[in-house]
Amino acid sequence: MTAARALPNETLLHLAGELLTPTPEGALWWAARRLLVVSDLHLEKGSNYAAAGQLLPPYDTGATLARVEALCARLQPETILSLGDSFHDRQSEFRLPPPYADRIRALTAAHDWVWIEGNHDPDPPAHLGGRAAKVLRLDGLVFRHEPEGEAGEIAGHLHPVAKVAGRGRAVRRRCFASDGARLVMPAMGAFAGGLNILDTAFSSVFPEGCMAFAMGEGRVYSLPRRHLIPDVRTGGASSGGWRL
């Protein structure tokens, strides 16, 4: 797979006959439909961890919402799809500080907002606006949370990251993973972890391998598979134990 011809600092992807733009913030822009896709926001992950005794700073929700708000201001989408795990757990929506809840309601009121059900948040947050769907099909594309390998599929869940080595050091970045027939979105949540796209969890989605489109400063970079390296734990084990 190769990126389509693009403007300077812009990467374009062809998927099921549609032209899509991955953004450096980790969203996907479908200009023909004025549709913005975000995935795995994991709102209130910090407060979930704090309740368990891991005192992460409570700023992840604000930082994640700021990214979404900036994209909306720049692109002016008509529709926004949040591809599941928008909230880190079933109680996250109720732990939201009122200012954050108000910001979410402003987004859902200004756009046709669709909450795709995820494994962390199967119940839609009705009091925050928007509408819910398990799977959404538009033209030749199908949007769901957990990838099944269907042609034209855009999914999340796996939190793909790419790792490359160069100039004496390794760089690890969140990325879009695609083989030209299907695509897995990066997690946008500020505290969301990541799984190397060379991990076996991606094999059933991309049986012939895929390219990485890595999020950089101000642009997205296409990385051929031959340039990618795996994550290695102490003792040589792969990252297959990472929790989704």
Side-chain angles (χ1 to χ4, degrees), residues 13-239:
L13 305 178
H14 286 296
L15 191 74
E18 301 294 341
L19 195 60
L20 309 170
T21 306
T23 77
E25 297 87 353
L28 192 67
W29 175 236
W30 189 1
R33 276 190 168 266
R34 303 207 61 79
L35 185 150
L36 184 69
V37 187
V38 298
S39 188
D40 294 272
L41 302 178
H42 283 271
L43 301 175
E44 291 303 299
K45 181 173 182 177
S47 63
N48 174 285
Y49 274 52
Q54 300 183 48
L55 300 182
L56 295 177
Y59 308 124
D60 57 309
T61 296
T64 302
L65 289 176
R67 291 193 190 109
V68 177
E69 290 162 342
L71 283 163
C72 290
R74 185 170 85 238
L75 298 173
Q76 297 293 307
E78 293 179 3
T79 304
I80 299 177
L81 305 184
S82 188
L83 284 187
D85 288 3
S86 303
F87 297 87
H88 187 67
D89 62 79
R90 295 191 182 199
Q91 297 302 311
S92 293
E93 60 183 283
F94 303 110
R95 295 196 307 272
L96 277 169
Y100 291 163
D102 290 343
R103 288 166 66 180
I104 294 172
R105 290 190 189 99
L107 287 167
T108 59
H111 311 277
D112 178 18
W113 187 289
V114 183
W115 303 101
I116 301 295
E117 297 177 17
N119 59 294
H120 281 247
D121 55 354
D123 301 315
H127 72 285
L128 294 175
R131 56 191 174 97
K134 188 174 183 63
V135 178
L136 187 67
R137 296 178 183 272
L138 294 173
D139 298 338
L141 300 182
V142 54
F143 300 88
R144 59 167 55 95
H145 178 61
E146 295 192 38
E148 297 181 2
E150 182 178 351
E153 178 182 79
I154 297 176
H157 183 60
L158 292 177
H159 299 201
V161 299
K163 186 177 181 180
V164 295
R167 298 183 181 180
R169 67 188 184 96
V171 176
R172 194 174 188 271
R173 295 279 188 175
R174 300 186 192 194
C175 72
F176 302 79
S178 180
D179 62 358
R182 53 198 64 81
L183 182 146
V184 177
M185 296 275 297
M188 188 179 279
F191 286 170
L195 182 64
N196 193 300
I197 66 169
L198 298 183
D199 190 274
T200 55
F202 289 91
S203 299
S204 62
V205 184
F206 306 112
E208 298 183 9
C210 63
M211 282 185 65
F213 297 86
M215 297 159 54
E217 296 296 329
R219 65 168 297 178
V220 173
Y221 296 86
S222 60
L223 302 175
R225 191 173 180 84
R226 66 181 181 276
H227 293 162
L228 304 178
I229 60 176
D231 290 330
V232 178
R233 290 181 172 182
T234 303
S238 76
S239 58

